[in-house]
Amino acid sequence: MNILVLPGDGIGPEVCNETVSTLELLAKKKGVELTFRDDHAGGAAIDHYQDPMPDSVITKAKASDAVLLGAVGGEKWDHLTGAMRPESGLLKIRKELGVFANLRPVAVSESLADASPLRPEAIAGTDMLVVRELTGGIYFGEPRGRSGEPGNEEAFSTMRYTTAEIERVARVAFTWAKRRGNRVCSVDKANVLVVSQLWRDVVNTLHKREFPEVELSHMYVDNAAMQLVVRPSQFDVILTGNLFGDILSDAAATLGGSLGLLPSASVGGPVGLFEPVHGSAPDIAGKGIANPVAMLLSAAMMMEELQHPEIAAAIRAGVDSALNQGLRTADLHREGKTTRVSTREMADAVREAALSAL
Ligand code: NAD
């Protein structure tokens, strides 16, 4: 099994290193052969190749079984524009790998309920999966442009979806719902946007044709934003487009108290991309205090996809055990209530418990 590791920038390399050594340890115990190859992405690739995602890295990614990515971006590259921005590299690899569905699970365990910005009784029972369309919509839609003189400019982007694009991501959402709570809530803005009206029609048709046994509901995105913070436990699978999914999944991410807990998987093509939801966190980079859990859980999703659910389960058990022992990195630490640990110490605790769970 060949894994391409793209640590990226900021805390990316810190959390990637811990994750790769965890995977190596668990794979060795299980007799699974994992080969890791490293390359640059984002700002690191701009420095090294003058390109945030050169074609050589894309070729390596396509020849791998999965790609593990840390995070990209940072102040150093903020002055760059267009295709030279670190984030453009991310958009490019997602597009090139054809990973059109982004899966973001958000489950708030009992031991973390008090870290949530919501009251414990409001957050209790939250266990949702946000399925976001990733390669279409307004982030890619043409035409787009900016014209005119300073002070009198005009700019526009286009939100565009085809039936095929909506169907394939909806199919992913329905399929995952069947493995979970059997409910899909499709989020759109069909009261205003024509593109959302097509979205809703296509989801309804697919539901009737292929997944009548799954419970389907629809919600406008403004209401969904509200419901996410009022009663998040009502959701099982949320299906939505690229722009709405970007915003809602970050809102959902904060429910657990830290971005540092949230994994993601981007699937749909032959090679999946597994990365934490958080960015490169330049404010804490290099301090050894980043939370490695999001990256570790992303690796668990990868091992599941690579048909090694026992390794995935061991990583999850390791994370649960570390959290239940009261260990917390700085982002989640509560003075007098939890034990503050470094990135390395947190990963060590996960590794130890994961190994004994395997
Ligand atoms: P961010 O996710 O990097 O950080 C937001 C806040 O959360 C910061 O206070 C940070 O310290 C904290 N945080 C994030 N991950 C953490 C972790 N694992 N442990 C502890 N705390 C953590 O978002 P931002 O500050 O808006 O962006 C910083 C840079 O990252 C920018 O250049 C942005 O473009 C980029 N970015 C990249 C990705 C990606 O690579 N997928 C996603 C979002 C932002």
Side-chain angles (χ1 to χ4, degrees), residues 11 71-74 78 87 90 94 258-260 275-284 290-291 331:
I11 62 168
V72 302
D78 271 352
E87 298 80 3
L90 265 190
R94 288 173 183 163
S258 172
L259 273 174
E275 54 180 321
V277 167
H278 62 72
S280 56
D283 53 334
I284 58 165
N291 191 341
D331 50 317

Side-chain angles (χ1 to χ4, degrees), residues 3 10 13 27 51 91 144 185 198 234 271 286 295 337 354-355:
I3 316 294
D51 184 334
L91 298 185
R144 64 175 76 197
C185 176
L198 175 69
Q234 71 186 279
V271 180
M295 186 84 238
K337 288 192 167 175
L355 267 179

Side-chain angles (χ1 to χ4, degrees), residues 207-242:
H207 172 245
K208 239 181 247 157
R209 194 175 67 223
E210 294 181 26
F211 300 95
E213 71 283 18
V214 179
E215 196 184 308
L216 171 66
S217 60
H218 299 275
M219 198 178 276
Y220 297 135
V221 63
D222 40 351
N223 186 26
M226 206 162 61
Q227 294 300 326
L228 265 181
V229 294
V230 173
R231 205 165 60 84
S233 61
Q234 71 186 279
F235 295 108
D236 179 23
V237 173
I238 293 179
L239 160 67
T240 192
N242 205 344

Side-chain angles (χ1 to χ4, degrees), residues 9 11 15 69-78 85-87 90 94 104 246 250 258-262 264 275-285 289-295 329-332 343:
D9 311 314
I11 62 168
V15 294
L69 190 141
V72 302
E75 220 170 79
K76 183 178 175 192
W77 307 279
D78 271 352
R85 286 195 64 77
E87 298 80 3
L90 265 190
R94 288 173 183 163
R104 295 187 182 191
D246 193 1
D250 268 18
S258 172
L259 273 174
L261 294 170
L262 271 292
S264 87
E275 54 180 321
V277 167
H278 62 72
S280 56
D283 53 334
I284 58 165
I289 59 170
N291 191 341
V293 167
M295 186 84 238
T329 40
D331 50 317
L332 286 168
T343 308

Side-chain angles (χ1 to χ4, degrees), residues 14-69:
E14 300 168 37
V15 294
C16 259
N17 284 344
E18 298 302 338
T19 301
V20 169
S21 54
T22 305
L23 284 170
E24 279 173 340
L25 215 62
L26 298 178
K28 191 170 168 208
K29 180 163 182 193
K30 258 332 248 185
V32 173
E33 222 170 283
L34 287 184
T35 308
F36 295 95
R37 290 198 296 171
D38 269 31
D39 215 316
H40 301 289
I46 294 171
D47 290 351
H48 197 81
Y49 297 118
Q50 291 78 52
D51 184 334
M53 188 59 67
D55 291 340
S56 59
V57 176
I58 298 286
T59 305
K60 268 192 199 169
K62 287 180 176 170
S64 306
D65 293 292
V67 179
L68 208 50
L69 190 141

